[in-house]
Amino acid sequence: MRIITHACPDCGTVVAANELEEKRIMKCPGLDCEEVLRFEELPEDDREHFVQNRERYQI
């Protein structure tokens, strides 16, 4: 299993790939940050790995 995360380009808050995949588009959870994060912003190889191994990332 790989740990796949995405850091907000505005505030640096780290979001897990499974959160982004579930919501596809979400407001950054960082305090006072209005940045919108998208699953498509993850590198293509990370997106493909996550989608192909989704069951391994279920909590």
Side-chain angles (χ1 to χ4, degrees):
M1 178 191 295
R2 291 173 22 191
I3 305 295
I4 302 173
T5 60
H6 178 64
C8 174
D10 189 41
C11 72
T13 297
V14 177
V15 178
N18 58 335
E19 284 289 314
L20 282 174
E21 193 274 334
E22 179 181 322
K23 298 175 182 173
R24 293 293 168 154
I25 298 174
M26 64 183 281
K27 181 190 163 298
C28 175
L31 293 175
D32 299 322
C33 185
E34 297 297 321
E35 187 73 23
V36 175
L37 306 175
R38 293 171 173 77
F39 183 69
E40 291 77 29
E41 294 172 341
L42 290 171
E44 185 176 353
D45 62 321
D46 285 343
R47 288 191 318 257
E48 287 178 13
H49 175 80
F50 184 82
V51 170
Q52 291 173 356
N53 297 285
R54 185 176 290 137
E55 71 283 347
R56 296 175 73 192
Y57 292 93
Q58 298 299 317
I59 297 176

